[in-house]
Amino acid sequence: MTVYRLSNDLVFPNPSFSDDDGLLAIEGDLSVERLLLAYSNGIFPWYSDDDPILWWSPDPRFIIYPKDIKTSHSMKKLIKKDTYKVTFDTCFRDVISNCSSVRKKTGTWITPEMIEAYCNLYELGFAHSVETWLDDKLVGGLYGVSLGKCFFGESMFSTMDNASKTAFIALGKVLESKGFILIDCQVHTNHLESLGAINMPRKEFLEIVKKGISILPLKLCF
């Protein structure tokens, strides 16, 4: 199938034109406007330093409903002990930089260009981070993009056992309390499947996103 080459115009092809692996388009830029347009249409960037910007919309889509997040008995005990402290939106750049660093051994898509782009989204209130602390040390966390009642997860990191899982469970509880419809996990991982994530046909996912981002306010406030 054809992979579309983007121009300076703020447009994307229909996600149904994606290749079998989910690749939809290349090039363009990482401006705030383009990123928000991408997420509102179920599209996200994912590429490495040696690639042009690559835009994806996989089918099926891996998602999790906040109310369906599974918390194991051992995790419930850990959370009850208050081993970790969880905060929201206190050090976004540190979280995304850690997400990038822990993946450098296997190759990371969180390039310096991506870090700056998502920090711009954070400054405007569209990107968010969840942080896990042990004493005063950042030991885990995650970040993503929020539009309407949909949260688009991007990456997580952990330097201590269950630190990122603690952040994810805390995020789910907050999103459920605020009436969020879903968390987009993009593609399958065993880790997220163990927490309750499931595959969903892209068409159904896009319908939910369209409904979710039509609900005001557009931005998430923790």
Side-chain angles (χ1 to χ4, degrees):
M1 296 180 68
T2 301
V3 175
Y4 291 80
R5 188 180 301 274
L6 301 181
S7 66
N8 292 329
D9 297 331
L10 285 176
V11 294
F12 281 99
N14 190 297
S16 64
F17 294 136
S18 296
D19 278 355
D20 290 342
D21 61 1
L23 181 61
L24 176 65
I26 65 172
E27 299 187 350
D29 56 56
L30 295 177
S31 65
V32 167
E33 294 80 8
R34 191 180 296 276
L35 284 170
L36 293 180
L37 178 63
Y39 281 102
S40 65
N41 285 280
I43 302 164
F44 59 88
W46 188 16
Y47 66 102
S48 63
D49 269 327
D50 297 329
D51 294 327
I53 300 174
L54 305 177
W55 300 90
W56 305 79
S57 184
D59 187 16
R61 197 67 166 241
F62 207 49
I63 68 97
I64 191 167
Y65 298 110
K67 65 180 180 63
D68 291 339
I69 292 177
K70 297 177 181 178
T71 306
S72 67
H73 181 66
S74 60
M75 280 303 301
K76 288 178 180 178
K77 288 178 63 176
L78 177 68
I79 293 169
K80 188 175 182 179
K81 287 170 60 178
D82 288 327
T83 302
Y84 297 124
K85 176 185 176 183
V86 177
T87 58
F88 297 84
D89 283 348
T90 64
C91 54
F92 182 89
R93 184 178 288 274
D94 289 339
V95 170
I96 190 172
S97 296
N98 273 280
C99 287
S100 176
S101 295
V102 299
R103 286 167 174 77
K104 283 185 177 177
K105 292 182 180 180
T106 57
T108 179
W109 71 97
I110 309 172
T111 64
E113 182 184 24
M114 289 277 273
I115 291 174
E116 294 308 316
Y118 283 82
C119 284
N120 289 337
L121 286 178
Y122 168 73
E123 292 296 331
L124 293 172
F126 292 107
H128 301 276
S129 61
V130 186
E131 307 90 26
T132 308
W133 305 85
L134 182 62
D135 298 324
D136 294 324
K137 183 178 180 181
L138 181 66
V139 295
L142 61 87
Y143 76 97
V145 174
S146 174
L147 290 176
K149 294 297 183 180
C150 298
F151 190 90
F152 302 87
E154 276 297 317
S155 187
M156 59 177 64
F157 83 97
S158 184
T159 61
M160 297 286 292
D161 288 346
N162 297 312
S164 62
K165 190 179 291 186
T166 299
F168 189 80
I169 292 170
L171 172 67
K173 290 180 178 178
V174 169
L175 296 183
E176 182 181 2
S177 72
K178 292 180 177 293
F180 270 62
I181 301 172
L182 59 73
I183 302 172
D184 174 32
C185 303
Q186 298 180 349
V187 295
H188 175 272
T189 68
N190 291 332
H191 176 62
L192 289 171
E193 183 179 19
S194 72
L195 289 169
I198 59 173
N199 277 322
M200 172 182 286
R202 180 175 56 211
K203 182 179 179 181
E204 182 180 349
F205 169 77
L206 293 175
E207 289 171 352
I208 292 175
V209 168
K210 183 177 180 180
K211 177 182 178 182
I213 64 174
S214 68
I215 302 173
L216 296 177
L218 190 61
K219 299 178 183 179
L220 169 64
C221 294
F222 286 116

